[in-house]
Amino acid sequence: MSSGLQRRRVTSNNNSSSTNAPGSISTPGLSSLSSISPRPASPEPSNYHSESFASENGHRIAFDPRDLQEGDERSKQPRLTLMEEVLLMGLKDKQGYLSFWNDNISYALRGCIVLELAFRGRISMQRDPTRRRLPLCDRLIEVIDERLTGEVLLDEALKLMKGSEKMSVAAWIDLMSGETWNLMKIGYQLKQVRERLAKGLVDKGILRTEKRNFLLFDMATHPVSDTGAKDEIRRRAINILTTKTVVLNASPLVPDDVPFRYLRTVAMVCAAYAANVLENALSNLSHDGRDRAFGRVDELLGDYSQWPFASKPGGSGGIGINLAQEISDELNANKDKELQIEVVAAALSVFTRLDSIL
């Protein structure tokens, strides 16, 4: 794995003349260094480009336009990642910790990392026509954009993928979860994912940190401080699972210009279902309402864990009759990102067999 910093090798002109060119410096006694060519008038082209603007006091301030591009790209991302939304759904509001008996959430959170990187355009399926011979979750993925996202866990996973050989979606989720017998790949495991996500939510003002005594030891807990954020996630989940016509209004968590807003919400409820935390979002529904919602998410997981997606216009049971069309419109508006969305389908297909993995 490269360290990220490489020495640039400058090639010299081997066809230098024995006679000193005008402006060259002659060095007696060193025949191998007969002349040193002057610096060329026009510099080599470079990928780096800087611009400047005049400040109020007349001084010019240099800046890198790529910083503005990255800032614009990040402004079009949701405030919370899929991992944070799933974790927040599973946290007890006042106690600030997850259920001790939940074995699925750690694996599902690693799957959310793959989903989020695909939605942000950092990874995609390898462009190889023969990949269709393989099951969806066994197709190889590759990094297509090395730019950091600003989210620590996403950037850590992105660096692992960039510095490794190409592997499948299922293999990456397994390795990041520590589900491997290969001692050479133990280092791919992402450590303390839940705690790091919780601390990130503290930094974003959604959670707060408290110390809680559990019989023999003290443990840091993270109760919810911004209940509005969690309520908004619950509303989105209930909206997509129970309403006849799904309408996702813009909100501070998911602005209107976020790409794939409807498909993101489908991925969020499917990931929460796989992580065994969706029931927390449906607690205000009746018993029959919860049964119908679980039936609907099971149907969504089956439809969107295939590629191309198998969803049909009209929904089932009168729920989400417009959802398939909304997602189809999102895909048509982003036809150049089909390989990225294929990764989304592959990650959801891993969720369909989660009980058999753990």
Side-chain angles (χ1 to χ4, degrees), residues 66 69-75 77 113-125 141-151 154-159 161-162 259 264 337 339-341 343-344:
R66 290 175 298 182
Q69 293 172 2
E70 289 178 5
D72 183 58
E73 191 261 345
R74 290 178 185 176
S75 68
Q77 299 301 333
I113 291 175
V114 174
L115 286 168
E116 190 68 46
L117 286 173
F119 277 125
R120 292 180 182 236
R122 299 304 193 267
I123 60 175
S124 74
M125 284 292 180
I141 60 176
E142 62 183 354
V143 175
I144 58 173
D145 187 348
E146 300 177 41
R147 289 179 301 162
L148 300 182
T149 65
E151 299 287 345
L154 293 181
D155 293 339
E156 184 177 339
L158 189 63
K159 289 176 182 177
M161 292 179 181
K162 180 61 182 175
R264 262 185 172 275
K337 298 180 180 178
L339 289 174
Q340 299 164 215
I341 302 306
V343 175
V344 172

Side-chain angles (χ1 to χ4, degrees), residues 175-191:
L175 290 176
M176 290 190 293
S177 304
E179 300 288 330
T180 178
W181 292 102
N182 188 342
L183 296 179
M184 302 297 293
K185 295 186 181 295
I186 290 295
Y188 288 93
Q189 182 181 5
L190 298 181
K191 305 289 182 63

